[in-house]
């Protein structure tokens, strides 16, 4: 059946469900943008998860000290910065007019507490804190960071555009331990979170922060002026992709972040819609194993699983159209200065199955089932576990595919319990290109283990030493060599499995103007809506 025929057939069936999901006109005052995002929002603490829906929520409510522009340059956002001649002292001065949503002024103490909380949870933040001698509020508007030794990624860390973003929040919230959800959503950003209308699984509502004072520079990626041109933004959950497409076609919603690839020809033919890839760096899709429990505590078993994987099979299932994907074994993504093919042959050529079977037989694998989490509600995450399960079974693994939704995966992957007690063995996710372009920002390669490591928790002292060497280096040639050595270690130890690169267009009605591109999209400031 063609996508067009399928759309016509399902339009009537979707109408009833659509009517129940959409807000009633009486609830919305002034201009309202209604959007269907790539996922439901349940975790609303932006310091607790790398999930992009939580990051996107963070950009609505919170602001950052620094930000990244479209030239990858770090720009002032909440604060200006300067560095001492010896490169050991960084000073950040808060700009005027900053207020929290509860009306209290933003202080340097708030921001120091926010940076410290972020620095415990984020991979790039952890590395910055390794080099930090002290971080304190010198006065109400001044933050002083002193280093033990020069470190070239200070500003890039604090101005990073994607997960985990160092969002600023009041001290009373920032002092919440990283693994504990903050009790309120109080930021200083361009929108306010409407707690009374938050219905997880149904709707999230944001209202314009009328007290927000934008910068004067034009908006560029996450930097510059955050001018809100509408009164409300509502994220409506529509787990059924066809229902969301029908709603966009009919004008019942304004923005669809992640239409399925098979429906793009239909949307492109609609003159009332704009189709555009906002994240030009694309995404890396990947598989992650749990190092704490059998069978993947055994490197030979991990290696067998790697050899069984085939990027083309995954990308064909996930995307289908080669126009929107790229077979790529580069841990730091293709098209970047650190890209290399070291160690990736079996993935990109799909020729490792015979060796996978042989290695698994030699590994002592005892048939322990692989508990594989499979979310069914996010199109960009649904195919990978299905394809992987088939490939693993072909190699000789027993696989227990456990169907769930993505937000359950987001919460469950943080569990260090054994699989039989609610833990897991393997899950799949996607990183925006900006989150994996170098060894410091790419948290998937962290070797910090159970304390401070990313879900899966590999412990690898050699990896951490190489990441430190990369961070200290100021030579592009030396950095490239270190990055290649790190990629070899990733594949040798199977720290994670890169499964290719893809590019995901968004769709919106032409009544919306000013939609910004960048590595952390969608952003809803600068967007206007004609009536």
């Amino acid at each position: 059946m063609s996508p067009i025929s399928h759309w016509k057939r399902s339009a009537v069936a979707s109408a009833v469900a659509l009517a129940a999901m959409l807000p009633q006109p009486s609830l919305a005052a002034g201009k309202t943008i209604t959007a269907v995002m790539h996922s439901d929002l349940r975790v609303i603490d932006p310091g607790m998860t790398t999930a992009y829906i939580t990051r996107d929520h963070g950009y609505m409510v919170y602001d950052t000290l620094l930000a990244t522009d479209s030239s990858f340059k770090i720009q002032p956002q909440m604060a200006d910065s300067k560095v001492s001649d010896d490169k050991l002292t960084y000073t950040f001065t808060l700009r005027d007019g900053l207020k929290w949503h509860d009306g209290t002024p933003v202080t340097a103490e708030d921001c120091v507490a926010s940076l410290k909380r972020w620095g415990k949870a984020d991979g790039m933040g952890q590395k910055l804190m390794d080099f930090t001698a002290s971080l304190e509020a010198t006065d109400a508007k001044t933050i002083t960071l002193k280093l033990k030794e020069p470190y070239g990624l200070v500003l890039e860390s604090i101005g990073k555009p994607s997960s985990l973003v160092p969002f600023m929040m009041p001290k009373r919230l920032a002092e919440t331990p990283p693994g504990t959800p903050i009790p309120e959503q109080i930021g200083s950003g361009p929108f306010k979170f409407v707690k009374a209308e938050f219905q997880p699984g149904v709707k999230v509502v944001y209202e314009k922060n009328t007290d927000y004072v934008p910068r004067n520079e034009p908006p560029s990626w996450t930097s510059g002026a955050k001018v809100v041109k509408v009164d409300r933004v509502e994220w409506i959950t529509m787990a059924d992709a066809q229902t969301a497409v029908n709603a966009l076609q009919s004008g019942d919603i304004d923005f669809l972040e992640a239409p399925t690839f098979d429906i793009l020809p239909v949307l492109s033919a609609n003159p009332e819609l704009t189709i555009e890839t906002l994240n030009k760096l694309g995404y890396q899709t990947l598989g992650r194993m749990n190092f704490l429990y059998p069978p993947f505590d055994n490197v030979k078993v991990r290696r067998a699983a790697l050899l069984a994987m085939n990027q083309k099979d995954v990308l064909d299932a996930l995307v289908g159209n080669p126009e929107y994907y790229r077979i790529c074994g580069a841990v730091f993504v293709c098209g970047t200065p650190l890209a290399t093919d070291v160690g990736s042959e079996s993935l990109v050529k799909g020729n490792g199955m015979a060796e996978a079977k042989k290695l698994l037989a030699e590994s002592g694998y005892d048939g322990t089932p692989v508990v594989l989490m499979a979310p069914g509600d996010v199109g960009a995450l649904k195919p990978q576990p299905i394809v992987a399960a088939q490939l693993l079974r072909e190699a000789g693994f027993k696989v227990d595919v456990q169907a769930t939704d993505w937000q359950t995966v987001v919460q469950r992957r943080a569990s260090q319990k054994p699989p039989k007690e609610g833990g897991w063995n393997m899950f799949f996710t996607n990183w925006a290109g900006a989150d994996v372009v170098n060894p410091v920002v790419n948290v998937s390669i962290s070797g910090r283990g159970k304390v401070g490591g990313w879900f899966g928790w590999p412990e690898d002292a050699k990896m951490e030493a190489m990441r430190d060497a990369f961070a200290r280096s100021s030579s592009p040639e030396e950095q490239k060599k270190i990055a290649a050595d790190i990629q070899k270690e990733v594949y040798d130890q199977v720290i994670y499995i890169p499964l290719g690169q893809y590019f995901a267009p968004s769709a919106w009605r032409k009544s919306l103007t000013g939609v910004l591109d960048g590595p952390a999209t969608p952003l809803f400031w600068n967007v206007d809506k004609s009536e």
Side-chain angles (χ1 to χ4, degrees), residues 92 111-113 115-116 129 132-137 143-146:
F92 305 91
C111 298
V112 167
L115 286 173
K116 287 181 176 179
M129 294 304 161
T132 297
S134 65
L135 175 61
E136 58 187 9
I143 303 152
T144 302
L145 185 155
K146 294 185 177 180

Side-chain angles (χ1 to χ4, degrees), residues 516-527:
L516 297 170
D517 68 349
T521 53
L523 305 169
F524 287 93
W525 59 82
N526 200 57
V527 183

Side-chain angles (χ1 to χ4, degrees), residues 152-356:
L153 298 174
V154 172
L155 301 183
E156 288 80 0
S157 300
I158 296 173
K160 63 178 294 197
S162 196
S163 300
L164 292 168
V165 179
F167 290 119
M168 297 296 104
M169 57 185 63
K171 181 181 178 183
R172 70 177 189 277
L173 302 181
E175 289 180 337
T176 306
T180 302
I182 56 176
E184 299 176 83
Q185 293 295 302
I186 301 294
S188 64
F191 293 90
K192 292 183 177 181
F193 175 71
V194 183
K195 181 180 179 181
E197 296 189 53
F198 179 43
Q199 301 176 58
V202 180
K203 181 174 68 172
V204 194
V205 177
Y206 305 92
E207 291 181 342
K208 178 179 180 178
N209 177 13
T210 55
D211 291 332
Y212 185 78
V213 179
R215 296 191 65 86
N216 294 322
E217 301 89 346
S220 177
W221 283 9
T222 56
S223 74
K226 298 181 178 181
V227 178
V228 176
K229 300 180 179 180
V230 297
D231 299 284
R232 286 166 60 101
V233 175
E234 301 185 1
W235 294 355
I236 308 299
T237 298
M238 293 184 185
D240 180 72
Q242 192 60 56
T243 300
V245 166
N246 294 345
L248 183 68
Q249 295 268 40
S250 64
D252 289 306
I253 64 170
D254 305 301
F255 186 94
L256 179 57
E257 181 185 0
T260 56
F261 289 97
D262 64 337
I263 205 67
L264 287 174
V266 174
L267 299 181
S268 298
N270 187 332
E272 297 178 343
L273 302 180
T274 297
I275 314 297
E276 186 178 331
T277 300
L278 296 174
N279 177 7
K280 305 299 193 295
L281 290 175
Y283 295 84
Q284 180 186 81
T285 188
L286 62 102
R288 176 70 158 196
M289 303 173 197
N290 189 335
F291 283 59
L292 303 182
Y293 300 104
F296 293 135
D297 58 343
N298 182 333
V299 66
K300 287 187 176 181
V301 178
R302 296 198 302 271
R303 185 73 185 165
L306 165 68
L307 288 164
M309 293 298 111
N310 180 334
Q311 283 196 356
K312 187 175 188 303
D313 286 353
V314 172
L315 292 170
D316 280 343
L318 174 62
V319 180
N321 186 345
E323 179 182 349
Y324 295 110
Y325 77 65
R326 182 173 185 175
I327 293 173
C328 171
V331 167
F332 305 114
V333 299
C334 292
T336 68
L338 300 181
T340 175
D341 59 1
V342 170
S344 66
E345 179 181 353
S346 67
L347 280 176
V348 299
K349 293 185 177 180
N351 61 357
M353 185 59 75
E355 183 64 21

